[in-house]
mmCIF file with all atom_site columns, all heavy atoms in Angstrom:
data_model
loop_
_atom_site.group_PDB
_atom_site.id
_atom_site.type_symbol
_atom_site.label_atom_id
_atom_site.label_alt_id
_atom_site.label_comp_id
_atom_site.label_asym_id
_atom_site.label_entity_id
_atom_site.label_seq_id
_atom_site.pdbx_PDB_ins_code
_atom_site.Cartn_x
_atom_site.Cartn_y
_atom_site.Cartn_z
_atom_site.occupancy
_atom_site.B_iso_or_equiv
_atom_site.pdbx_formal_charge
_atom_site.auth_seq_id
_atom_site.auth_comp_id
_atom_site.auth_asym_id
_atom_site.auth_atom_id
_atom_site.pdbx_PDB_model_num
ATOM 1   N N   . HIS A 1 1  ? 114.871 103.613 114.213 1.00 90.00 ? 1092 HIS A N   1
ATOM 2   C CA  . HIS A 1 1  ? 115.427 104.677 113.361 1.00 90.00 ? 1092 HIS A CA  1
ATOM 3   C C   . HIS A 1 1  ? 115.934 104.056 112.053 1.00 90.00 ? 1092 HIS A C   1
ATOM 4   O O   . HIS A 1 1  ? 117.131 103.922 111.841 1.00 90.00 ? 1092 HIS A O   1
ATOM 5   C CB  . HIS A 1 1  ? 116.557 105.380 114.134 1.00 90.00 ? 1092 HIS A CB  1
ATOM 6   C CG  . HIS A 1 1  ? 116.935 106.714 113.606 1.00 90.00 ? 1092 HIS A CG  1
ATOM 7   N ND1 . HIS A 1 1  ? 116.046 107.762 113.533 1.00 90.00 ? 1092 HIS A ND1 1
ATOM 8   C CD2 . HIS A 1 1  ? 118.104 107.179 113.107 1.00 90.00 ? 1092 HIS A CD2 1
ATOM 9   C CE1 . HIS A 1 1  ? 116.662 108.810 113.027 1.00 90.00 ? 1092 HIS A CE1 1
ATOM 10  N NE2 . HIS A 1 1  ? 117.909 108.478 112.764 1.00 90.00 ? 1092 HIS A NE2 1
ATOM 11  N N   . LEU A 1 2  ? 114.968 103.657 111.182 1.00 94.00 ? 1093 LEU A N   1
ATOM 12  C CA  . LEU A 1 2  ? 115.275 102.949 109.940 1.00 94.00 ? 1093 LEU A CA  1
ATOM 13  C C   . LEU A 1 2  ? 114.533 103.566 108.763 1.00 94.00 ? 1093 LEU A C   1
ATOM 14  O O   . LEU A 1 2  ? 113.467 104.157 108.939 1.00 94.00 ? 1093 LEU A O   1
ATOM 15  C CB  . LEU A 1 2  ? 114.839 101.483 110.032 1.00 94.00 ? 1093 LEU A CB  1
ATOM 16  C CG  . LEU A 1 2  ? 115.363 100.629 111.168 1.00 94.00 ? 1093 LEU A CG  1
ATOM 17  C CD1 . LEU A 1 2  ? 114.617 99.298  111.203 1.00 94.00 ? 1093 LEU A CD1 1
ATOM 18  C CD2 . LEU A 1 2  ? 116.845 100.393 111.008 1.00 94.00 ? 1093 LEU A CD2 1
ATOM 19  N N   . LEU A 1 3  ? 115.091 103.362 107.582 1.00 95.00 ? 1094 LEU A N   1
ATOM 20  C CA  . LEU A 1 3  ? 114.416 103.757 106.355 1.00 95.00 ? 1094 LEU A CA  1
ATOM 21  C C   . LEU A 1 3  ? 114.557 102.615 105.363 1.00 95.00 ? 1094 LEU A C   1
ATOM 22  O O   . LEU A 1 3  ? 115.654 102.077 105.171 1.00 95.00 ? 1094 LEU A O   1
ATOM 23  C CB  . LEU A 1 3  ? 115.049 105.024 105.771 1.00 95.00 ? 1094 LEU A CB  1
ATOM 24  C CG  . LEU A 1 3  ? 114.485 105.519 104.443 1.00 95.00 ? 1094 LEU A CG  1
ATOM 25  C CD1 . LEU A 1 3  ? 113.018 105.960 104.607 1.00 95.00 ? 1094 LEU A CD1 1
ATOM 26  C CD2 . LEU A 1 3  ? 115.319 106.667 103.896 1.00 95.00 ? 1094 LEU A CD2 1
ATOM 27  N N   . PHE A 1 4  ? 113.445 102.228 104.751 1.00 97.00 ? 1095 PHE A N   1
ATOM 28  C CA  . PHE A 1 4  ? 113.450 101.222 103.700 1.00 97.00 ? 1095 PHE A CA  1
ATOM 29  C C   . PHE A 1 4  ? 113.376 101.946 102.358 1.00 97.00 ? 1095 PHE A C   1
ATOM 30  O O   . PHE A 1 4  ? 112.568 102.861 102.188 1.00 97.00 ? 1095 PHE A O   1
ATOM 31  C CB  . PHE A 1 4  ? 112.251 100.281 103.842 1.00 97.00 ? 1095 PHE A CB  1
ATOM 32  C CG  . PHE A 1 4  ? 112.381 99.317  104.981 1.00 97.00 ? 1095 PHE A CG  1
ATOM 33  C CD1 . PHE A 1 4  ? 112.161 99.723  106.289 1.00 97.00 ? 1095 PHE A CD1 1
ATOM 34  C CD2 . PHE A 1 4  ? 112.722 97.993  104.744 1.00 97.00 ? 1095 PHE A CD2 1
ATOM 35  C CE1 . PHE A 1 4  ? 112.284 98.829  107.346 1.00 97.00 ? 1095 PHE A CE1 1
ATOM 36  C CE2 . PHE A 1 4  ? 112.849 97.098  105.788 1.00 97.00 ? 1095 PHE A CE2 1
ATOM 37  C CZ  . PHE A 1 4  ? 112.628 97.516  107.094 1.00 97.00 ? 1095 PHE A CZ  1
ATOM 38  N N   . VAL A 1 5  ? 114.220 101.517 101.422 1.00 95.00 ? 1096 VAL A N   1
ATOM 39  C CA  . VAL A 1 5  ? 114.262 102.146 100.107 1.00 95.00 ? 1096 VAL A CA  1
ATOM 40  C C   . VAL A 1 5  ? 114.103 101.065 99.044  1.00 95.00 ? 1096 VAL A C   1
ATOM 41  O O   . VAL A 1 5  ? 114.817 100.050 99.066  1.00 95.00 ? 1096 VAL A O   1
ATOM 42  C CB  . VAL A 1 5  ? 115.589 102.910 99.885  1.00 95.00 ? 1096 VAL A CB  1
ATOM 43  C CG1 . VAL A 1 5  ? 115.665 103.456 98.475  1.00 95.00 ? 1096 VAL A CG1 1
ATOM 44  C CG2 . VAL A 1 5  ? 115.726 104.033 100.903 1.00 95.00 ? 1096 VAL A CG2 1
ATOM 45  N N   . ILE A 1 6  ? 113.170 101.294 98.146  1.00 96.00 ? 1097 ILE A N   1
ATOM 46  C CA  . ILE A 1 6  ? 112.956 100.402 97.010  1.00 96.00 ? 1097 ILE A CA  1
ATOM 47  C C   . ILE A 1 6  ? 113.353 101.168 95.760  1.00 96.00 ? 1097 ILE A C   1
ATOM 48  O O   . ILE A 1 6  ? 112.760 102.210 95.456  1.00 96.00 ? 1097 ILE A O   1
ATOM 49  C CB  . ILE A 1 6  ? 111.480 99.973  96.904  1.00 96.00 ? 1097 ILE A CB  1
ATOM 50  C CG1 . ILE A 1 6  ? 111.019 99.286  98.193  1.00 96.00 ? 1097 ILE A CG1 1
ATOM 51  C CG2 . ILE A 1 6  ? 111.271 99.086  95.683  1.00 96.00 ? 1097 ILE A CG2 1
ATOM 52  C CD1 . ILE A 1 6  ? 109.507 99.093  98.287  1.00 96.00 ? 1097 ILE A CD1 1
ATOM 53  N N   . LEU A 1 7  ? 114.368 100.671 95.046  1.00 93.00 ? 1098 LEU A N   1
ATOM 54  C CA  . LEU A 1 7  ? 114.760 101.247 93.768  1.00 93.00 ? 1098 LEU A CA  1
ATOM 55  C C   . LEU A 1 7  ? 114.150 100.399 92.667  1.00 93.00 ? 1098 LEU A C   1
ATOM 56  O O   . LEU A 1 7  ? 114.461 99.208  92.562  1.00 93.00 ? 1098 LEU A O   1
ATOM 57  C CB  . LEU A 1 7  ? 116.285 101.243 93.596  1.00 93.00 ? 1098 LEU A CB  1
ATOM 58  C CG  . LEU A 1 7  ? 117.110 102.164 94.464  1.00 93.00 ? 1098 LEU A CG  1
ATOM 59  C CD1 . LEU A 1 7  ? 118.588 101.986 94.157  1.00 93.00 ? 1098 LEU A CD1 1
ATOM 60  C CD2 . LEU A 1 7  ? 116.705 103.609 94.249  1.00 93.00 ? 1098 LEU A CD2 1
ATOM 61  N N   . GLY A 1 8  ? 113.279 100.979 91.892  1.00 93.00 ? 1099 GLY A N   1
ATOM 62  C CA  . GLY A 1 8  ? 112.690 100.201 90.818  1.00 93.00 ? 1099 GLY A CA  1
ATOM 63  C C   . GLY A 1 8  ? 111.388 100.788 90.331  1.00 93.00 ? 1099 GLY A C   1
ATOM 64  O O   . GLY A 1 8  ? 110.904 101.800 90.828  1.00 93.00 ? 1099 GLY A O   1
ATOM 65  N N   . ASP A 1 9  ? 110.842 100.113 89.346  1.00 94.00 ? 1100 ASP A N   1
ATOM 66  C CA  . ASP A 1 9  ? 109.563 100.501 88.778  1.00 94.00 ? 1100 ASP A CA  1
ATOM 67  C C   . ASP A 1 9  ? 108.897 99.240  88.259  1.00 94.00 ? 1100 ASP A C   1
ATOM 68  O O   . ASP A 1 9  ? 109.545 98.198  88.142  1.00 94.00 ? 1100 ASP A O   1
ATOM 69  C CB  . ASP A 1 9  ? 109.746 101.521 87.655  1.00 94.00 ? 1100 ASP A CB  1
ATOM 70  C CG  . ASP A 1 9  ? 108.505 102.367 87.436  1.00 94.00 ? 1100 ASP A CG  1
ATOM 71  O OD1 . ASP A 1 9  ? 107.487 102.144 88.122  1.00 94.00 ? 1100 ASP A OD1 1
ATOM 72  O OD2 . ASP A 1 9  ? 108.546 103.256 86.573  1.00 94.00 ? 1100 ASP A OD2 1
ATOM 73  N N   . GLY A 1 10 ? 107.634 99.337  87.968  1.00 95.00 ? 1101 GLY A N   1
ATOM 74  C CA  . GLY A 1 10 ? 106.927 98.183  87.443  1.00 95.00 ? 1101 GLY A CA  1
ATOM 75  C C   . GLY A 1 10 ? 105.433 98.322  87.632  1.00 95.00 ? 1101 GLY A C   1
ATOM 76  O O   . GLY A 1 10 ? 104.943 99.333  88.156  1.00 95.00 ? 1101 GLY A O   1
ATOM 77  N N   . PRO A 1 11 ? 104.708 97.293  87.230  1.00 97.00 ? 1102 PRO A N   1
ATOM 78  C CA  . PRO A 1 11 ? 103.249 97.373  87.211  1.00 97.00 ? 1102 PRO A CA  1
ATOM 79  C C   . PRO A 1 11 ? 102.597 97.506  88.591  1.00 97.00 ? 1102 PRO A C   1
ATOM 80  O O   . PRO A 1 11 ? 101.462 97.967  88.684  1.00 97.00 ? 1102 PRO A O   1
ATOM 81  C CB  . PRO A 1 11 ? 102.824 96.058  86.537  1.00 97.00 ? 1102 PRO A CB  1
ATOM 82  C CG  . PRO A 1 11 ? 103.985 95.140  86.670  1.00 97.00 ? 1102 PRO A CG  1
ATOM 83  C CD  . PRO A 1 11 ? 105.198 96.009  86.709  1.00 97.00 ? 1102 PRO A CD  1
ATOM 84  N N   . ASP A 1 12 ? 103.292 97.121  89.656  1.00 97.00 ? 1103 ASP A N   1
ATOM 85  C CA  . ASP A 1 12 ? 102.701 97.199  91.000  1.00 97.00 ? 1103 ASP A CA  1
ATOM 86  C C   . ASP A 1 12 ? 103.054 98.474  91.756  1.00 97.00 ? 1103 ASP A C   1
ATOM 87  O O   . ASP A 1 12 ? 102.733 98.603  92.936  1.00 97.00 ? 1103 ASP A O   1
ATOM 88  C CB  . ASP A 1 12 ? 103.135 95.984  91.842  1.00 97.00 ? 1103 ASP A CB  1
ATOM 89  C CG  . ASP A 1 12 ? 102.450 94.705  91.413  1.00 97.00 ? 1103 ASP A CG  1
ATOM 90  O OD1 . ASP A 1 12 ? 101.539 94.765  90.557  1.00 97.00 ? 1103 ASP A OD1 1
ATOM 91  O OD2 . ASP A 1 12 ? 102.823 93.638  91.936  1.00 97.00 ? 1103 ASP A OD2 1
ATOM 92  N N   . ARG A 1 13 ? 103.666 99.429  91.104  1.00 97.00 ? 1104 ARG A N   1
ATOM 93  C CA  . ARG A 1 13 ? 104.105 100.649 91.797  1.00 97.00 ? 1104 ARG A CA  1
ATOM 94  C C   . ARG A 1 13 ? 102.951 101.361 92.501  1.00 97.00 ? 1104 ARG A C   1
ATOM 95  O O   . ARG A 1 13 ? 103.053 101.692 93.686  1.00 97.00 ? 1104 ARG A O   1
ATOM 96  C CB  . ARG A 1 13 ? 104.811 101.596 90.831  1.00 97.00 ? 1104 ARG A CB  1
ATOM 97  C CG  . ARG A 1 13 ? 105.360 102.821 91.536  1.00 97.00 ? 1104 ARG A CG  1
ATOM 98  C CD  . ARG A 1 13 ? 105.959 103.824 90.552  1.00 97.00 ? 1104 ARG A CD  1
ATOM 99  N NE  . ARG A 1 13 ? 106.610 104.883 91.286  1.00 97.00 ? 1104 ARG A NE  1
ATOM 100 C CZ  . ARG A 1 13 ? 107.905 104.954 91.492  1.00 97.00 ? 1104 ARG A CZ  1
ATOM 101 N NH1 . ARG A 1 13 ? 108.711 104.032 91.013  1.00 97.00 ? 1104 ARG A NH1 1
ATOM 102 N NH2 . ARG A 1 13 ? 108.413 105.948 92.176  1.00 97.00 ? 1104 ARG A NH2 1
ATOM 103 N N   . ASP A 1 14 ? 101.863 101.606 91.802  1.00 97.00 ? 1105 ASP A N   1
ATOM 104 C CA  . ASP A 1 14 ? 100.727 102.309 92.408  1.00 97.00 ? 1105 ASP A CA  1
ATOM 105 C C   . ASP A 1 14 ? 100.125 101.490 93.549  1.00 97.00 ? 1105 ASP A C   1
ATOM 106 O O   . ASP A 1 14 ? 99.804  102.037 94.606  1.00 97.00 ? 1105 ASP A O   1
ATOM 107 C CB  . ASP A 1 14 ? 99.652  102.616 91.366  1.00 97.00 ? 1105 ASP A CB  1
ATOM 108 C CG  . ASP A 1 14 ? 100.076 103.702 90.390  1.00 97.00 ? 1105 ASP A CG  1
ATOM 109 O OD1 . ASP A 1 14 ? 101.005 104.477 90.710  1.00 97.00 ? 1105 ASP A OD1 1
ATOM 110 O OD2 . ASP A 1 14 ? 99.475  103.760 89.294  1.00 97.00 ? 1105 ASP A OD2 1
ATOM 111 N N   . HIS A 1 15 ? 99.991  100.200 93.345  1.00 97.00 ? 1106 HIS A N   1
ATOM 112 C CA  . HIS A 1 15 ? 99.457  99.309  94.378  1.00 97.00 ? 1106 HIS A CA  1
ATOM 113 C C   . HIS A 1 15 ? 100.315 99.379  95.644  1.00 97.00 ? 1106 HIS A C   1
ATOM 114 O O   . HIS A 1 15 ? 99.792  99.534  96.756  1.00 97.00 ? 1106 HIS A O   1
ATOM 115 C CB  . HIS A 1 15 ? 99.398  97.875  93.835  1.00 97.00 ? 1106 HIS A CB  1
ATOM 116 C CG  . HIS A 1 15 ? 99.120  96.835  94.861  1.00 97.00 ? 1106 HIS A CG  1
ATOM 117 N ND1 . HIS A 1 15 ? 97.881  96.688  95.466  1.00 97.00 ? 1106 HIS A ND1 1
ATOM 118 C CD2 . HIS A 1 15 ? 99.917  95.887  95.417  1.00 97.00 ? 1106 HIS A CD2 1
ATOM 119 C CE1 . HIS A 1 15 ? 97.937  95.698  96.343  1.00 97.00 ? 1106 HIS A CE1 1
ATOM 120 N NE2 . HIS A 1 15 ? 99.160  95.190  96.329  1.00 97.00 ? 1106 HIS A NE2 1
ATOM 121 N N   . LEU A 1 16 ? 101.637 99.284  95.492  1.00 98.00 ? 1107 LEU A N   1
ATOM 122 C CA  . LEU A 1 16 ? 102.541 99.331  96.645  1.00 98.00 ? 1107 LEU A CA  1
ATOM 123 C C   . LEU A 1 16 ? 102.499 100.700 97.321  1.00 98.00 ? 1107 LEU A C   1
ATOM 124 O O   . LEU A 1 16 ? 102.497 100.790 98.555  1.00 98.00 ? 1107 LEU A O   1
ATOM 125 C CB  . LEU A 1 16 ? 103.960 98.987  96.209  1.00 98.00 ? 1107 LEU A CB  1
ATOM 126 C CG  . LEU A 1 16 ? 104.162 97.548  95.710  1.00 98.00 ? 1107 LEU A CG  1
ATOM 127 C CD1 . LEU A 1 16 ? 105.518 97.401  95.037  1.00 98.00 ? 1107 LEU A CD1 1
ATOM 128 C CD2 . LEU A 1 16 ? 103.987 96.549  96.836  1.00 98.00 ? 1107 LEU A CD2 1
ATOM 129 N N   . SER A 1 17 ? 102.437 101.761 96.531  1.00 98.00 ? 1108 SER A N   1
ATOM 130 C CA  . SER A 1 17 ? 102.358 103.123 97.091  1.00 98.00 ? 1108 SER A CA  1
ATOM 131 C C   . SER A 1 17 ? 101.101 103.290 97.936  1.00 98.00 ? 1108 SER A C   1
ATOM 132 O O   . SER A 1 17 ? 101.137 103.915 99.002  1.00 98.00 ? 1108 SER A O   1
ATOM 133 C CB  . SER A 1 17 ? 102.391 104.161 95.973  1.00 98.00 ? 1108 SER A CB  1
ATOM 134 O OG  . SER A 1 17 ? 103.633 104.136 95.323  1.00 98.00 ? 1108 SER A OG  1
ATOM 135 N N   . LYS A 1 18 ? 100.003 102.714 97.471  1.00 98.00 ? 1109 LYS A N   1
ATOM 136 C CA  . LYS A 1 18 ? 98.748  102.804 98.228  1.00 98.00 ? 1109 LYS A CA  1
ATOM 137 C C   . LYS A 1 18 ? 98.842  102.045 99.548  1.00 98.00 ? 1109 LYS A C   1
ATOM 138 O O   . LYS A 1 18 ? 98.339  102.512 100.575 1.00 98.00 ? 1109 LYS A O   1
ATOM 139 C CB  . LYS A 1 18 ? 97.579  102.297 97.387  1.00 98.00 ? 1109 LYS A CB  1
ATOM 140 C CG  . LYS A 1 18 ? 97.202  103.244 96.276  1.00 98.00 ? 1109 LYS A CG  1
ATOM 141 C CD  . LYS A 1 18 ? 96.115  102.684 95.391  1.00 98.00 ? 1109 LYS A CD  1
ATOM 142 C CE  . LYS A 1 18 ? 95.863  103.647 94.220  1.00 98.00 ? 1109 LYS A CE  1
ATOM 143 N NZ  . LYS A 1 18 ? 94.958  103.087 93.228  1.00 98.00 ? 1109 LYS A NZ  1
ATOM 144 N N   . ILE A 1 19 ? 99.462  100.886 99.527  1.00 98.00 ? 1110 ILE A N   1
ATOM 145 C CA  . ILE A 1 19 ? 99.637  100.122 100.778 1.00 98.00 ? 1110 ILE A CA  1
ATOM 146 C C   . ILE A 1 19 ? 100.496 100.924 101.755 1.00 98.00 ? 1110 ILE A C   1
ATOM 147 O O   . ILE A 1 19 ? 100.167 101.009 102.947 1.00 98.00 ? 1110 ILE A O   1
ATOM 148 C CB  . ILE A 1 19 ? 100.290 98.742  100.509 1.00 98.00 ? 1110 ILE A CB  1
ATOM 149 C CG1 . ILE A 1 19 ? 99.353  97.857  99.690  1.00 98.00 ? 1110 ILE A CG1 1
ATOM 150 C CG2 . ILE A 1 19 ? 100.661 98.057  101.822 1.00 98.00 ? 1110 ILE A CG2 1
ATOM 151 C CD1 . ILE A 1 19 ? 100.004 96.563  99.216  1.00 98.00 ? 1110 ILE A CD1 1
ATOM 152 N N   . ILE A 1 20 ? 101.561 101.524 101.263 1.00 98.00 ? 1111 ILE A N   1
ATOM 153 C CA  . ILE A 1 20 ? 102.451 102.324 102.115 1.00 98.00 ? 1111 ILE A CA  1
ATOM 154 C C   . ILE A 1 20 ? 101.680 103.488 102.735 1.00 98.00 ? 1111 ILE A C   1
ATOM 155 O O   . ILE A 1 20 ? 101.797 103.757 103.931 1.00 98.00 ? 1111 ILE A O   1
ATOM 156 C CB  . ILE A 1 20 ? 103.678 102.807 101.307 1.00 98.00 ? 1111 ILE A CB  1
ATOM 157 C CG1 . ILE A 1 20 ? 104.573 101.599 100.951 1.00 98.00 ? 1111 ILE A CG1 1
ATOM 158 C CG2 . ILE A 1 20 ? 104.460 103.873 102.065 1.00 98.00 ? 1111 ILE A CG2 1
ATOM 159 C CD1 . ILE A 1 20 ? 105.628 101.892 99.891  1.00 98.00 ? 1111 ILE A CD1 1
ATOM 160 N N   . GLU A 1 21 ? 100.867 104.164 101.937 1.00 98.00 ? 1112 GLU A N   1
ATOM 161 C CA  . GLU A 1 21 ? 100.057 105.276 102.458 1.00 98.00 ? 1112 GLU A CA  1
ATOM 162 C C   . GLU A 1 21 ? 99.031  104.777 103.466 1.00 98.00 ? 1112 GLU A C   1
ATOM 163 O O   . GLU A 1 21 ? 98.873  105.366 104.541 1.00 98.00 ? 1112 GLU A O   1
ATOM 164 C CB  . GLU A 1 21 ? 99.358  105.993 101.305 1.00 98.00 ? 1112 GLU A CB  1
ATOM 165 C CG  . GLU A 1 21 ? 100.280 106.869 100.495 1.00 98.00 ? 1112 GLU A CG  1
ATOM 166 C CD  . GLU A 1 21 ? 99.544  107.568 99.359  1.00 98.00 ? 1112 GLU A CD  1
ATOM 167 O OE1 . GLU A 1 21 ? 98.336  107.881 99.519  1.00 98.00 ? 1112 GLU A OE1 1
ATOM 168 O OE2 . GLU A 1 21 ? 100.187 107.778 98.321  1.00 98.00 ? 1112 GLU A OE2 1
ATOM 169 N N   . ARG A 1 22 ? 98.334  103.702 103.124 1.00 97.00 ? 1113 ARG A N   1
ATOM 170 C CA  . ARG A 1 22 ? 97.292  103.158 104.001 1.00 97.00 ? 1113 ARG A CA  1
ATOM 171 C C   . ARG A 1 22 ? 97.874  102.713 105.352 1.00 97.00 ? 1113 ARG A C   1
ATOM 172 O O   . ARG A 1 22 ? 97.251  102.901 106.399 1.00 97.00 ? 1113 ARG A O   1
ATOM 173 C CB  . ARG A 1 22 ? 96.580  102.000 103.303 1.00 97.00 ? 1113 ARG A CB  1
ATOM 174 C CG  . ARG A 1 22 ? 95.338  101.517 104.005 1.00 97.00 ? 1113 ARG A CG  1
ATOM 175 C CD  . ARG A 1 22 ? 94.512  100.499 103.199 1.00 97.00 ? 1113 ARG A CD  1
ATOM 176 N NE  . ARG A 1 22 ? 95.293  99.451  102.567 1.00 97.00 ? 1113 ARG A NE  1
ATOM 177 C CZ  . ARG A 1 22 ? 95.423  99.297  101.233 1.00 97.00 ? 1113 ARG A CZ  1
ATOM 178 N NH1 . ARG A 1 22 ? 94.818  100.120 100.395 1.00 97.00 ? 1113 ARG A NH1 1
ATOM 179 N NH2 . ARG A 1 22 ? 96.148  98.306  100.743 1.00 97.00 ? 1113 ARG A NH2 1
ATOM 180 N N   . GLN A 1 23 ? 99.085  102.162 105.327 1.00 96.00 ? 1114 GLN A N   1
ATOM 181 C CA  . GLN A 1 23 ? 99.734  101.711 106.563 1.00 96.00 ? 1114 GLN A CA  1
ATOM 182 C C   . GLN A 1 23 ? 100.450 102.855 107.297 1.00 96.00 ? 1114 GLN A C   1
ATOM 183 O O   . GLN A 1 23 ? 101.079 102.624 108.324 1.00 96.00 ? 1114 GLN A O   1
ATOM 184 C CB  . GLN A 1 23 ? 100.761 100.603 106.246 1.00 96.00 ? 1114 GLN A CB  1
ATOM 185 C CG  . GLN A 1 23 ? 100.168 99.365  105.663 1.00 96.00 ? 1114 GLN A CG  1
ATOM 186 C CD  . GLN A 1 23 ? 99.442  98.529  106.700 1.00 96.00 ? 1114 GLN A CD  1
ATOM 187 O OE1 . GLN A 1 23 ? 99.381  98.854  107.876 1.00 96.00 ? 1114 GLN A OE1 1
ATOM 188 N NE2 . GLN A 1 23 ? 98.853  97.444  106.260 1.00 96.00 ? 1114 GLN A NE2 1
ATOM 189 N N   . GLN A 1 24 ? 100.375 104.049 106.739 1.00 97.00 ? 1115 GLN A N   1
ATOM 190 C CA  . GLN A 1 24 ? 101.029 105.235 107.298 1.00 97.00 ? 1115 GLN A CA  1
ATOM 191 C C   . GLN A 1 24 ? 102.535 105.010 107.460 1.00 97.00 ? 1115 GLN A C   1
ATOM 192 O O   . GLN A 1 24 ? 103.123 105.301 108.503 1.00 97.00 ? 1115 GLN A O   1
ATOM 193 C CB  . GLN A 1 24 ? 100.379 105.639 108.623 1.00 97.00 ? 1115 GLN A CB  1
ATOM 194 C CG  . GLN A 1 24 ? 98.924  106.002 108.468 1.00 97.00 ? 1115 GLN A CG  1
ATOM 195 C CD  . GLN A 1 24 ? 98.241  106.345 109.771 1.00 97.00 ? 1115 GLN A CD  1
ATOM 196 O OE1 . GLN A 1 24 ? 98.748  106.107 110.860 1.00 97.00 ? 1115 GLN A OE1 1
ATOM 197 N NE2 . GLN A 1 24 ? 97.067  106.941 109.658 1.00 97.00 ? 1115 GLN A NE2 1
ATOM 198 N N   . LEU A 1 25 ? 103.144 104.531 106.374 1.00 97.00 ? 1116 LEU A N   1
ATOM 199 C CA  . LEU A 1 25 ? 104.576 104.241 106.366 1.00 97.00 ? 1116 LEU A CA  1
ATOM 200 C C   . LEU A 1 25 ? 105.358 105.140 105.405 1.00 97.00 ? 1116 LEU A C   1
ATOM 201 O O   . LEU A 1 25 ? 106.500 104.839 105.082 1.00 97.00 ? 1116 LEU A O   1
ATOM 202 C CB  . LEU A 1 25 ? 104.805 102.765 105.995 1.00 97.00 ? 1116 LEU A CB  1
ATOM 203 C CG  . LEU A 1 25 ? 104.355 101.740 107.028 1.00 97.00 ? 1116 LEU A CG  1
ATOM 204 C CD1 . LEU A 1 25 ? 104.351 100.334 106.441 1.00 97.00 ? 1116 LEU A CD1 1
ATOM 205 C CD2 . LEU A 1 25 ? 105.255 101.805 108.257 1.00 97.00 ? 1116 LEU A CD2 1
ATOM 206 N N   . THR A 1 26 ? 104.752 106.241 104.993 1.00 96.00 ? 1117 THR A N   1
ATOM 207 C CA  . THR A 1 26 ? 105.429 107.102 104.017 1.00 96.00 ? 1117 THR A CA  1
ATOM 208 C C   . THR A 1 26 ? 106.721 107.718 104.564 1.00 96.00 ? 1117 THR A C   1
ATOM 209 O O   . THR A 1 26 ? 107.593 108.096 103.781 1.00 96.00 ? 1117 THR A O   1
ATOM 210 C CB  . THR A 1 26 ? 104.494 108.224 103.512 1.00 96.00 ? 1117 THR A CB  1
ATOM 211 O OG1 . THR A 1 26 ? 103.978 108.937 104.637 1.00 96.00 ? 1117 THR A OG1 1
ATOM 212 C CG2 . THR A 1 26 ? 103.359 107.653 102.675 1.00 96.00 ? 1117 THR A CG2 1
ATOM 213 N N   . ASN A 1 27 ? 106.857 107.805 105.876 1.00 94.00 ? 1118 ASN A N   1
ATOM 214 C CA  . ASN A 1 27 ? 108.114 108.295 106.466 1.00 94.00 ? 1118 ASN A CA  1
ATOM 215 C C   . ASN A 1 27 ? 109.131 107.181 106.685 1.00 94.00 ? 1118 ASN A C   1
ATOM 216 O O   . ASN A 1 27 ? 110.247 107.435 107.134 1.00 94.00 ? 1118 ASN A O   1
ATOM 217 C CB  . ASN A 1 27 ? 107.850 108.983 107.813 1.00 94.00 ? 1118 ASN A CB  1
ATOM 218 C CG  . ASN A 1 27 ? 107.082 110.267 107.641 1.00 94.00 ? 1118 ASN A CG  1
ATOM 219 O OD1 . ASN A 1 27 ? 107.199 110.948 106.627 1.00 94.00 ? 1118 ASN A OD1 1
ATOM 220 N ND2 . ASN A 1 27 ? 106.271 110.601 108.631 1.00 94.00 ? 1118 ASN A ND2 1
#
């Protein structure tokens, strides 16, 4: 029962978002 939060922005945002979606970790 955990949530990871990343506060920030930068050039890898889209890349990281895609990894999160691909790994089914959006929740």
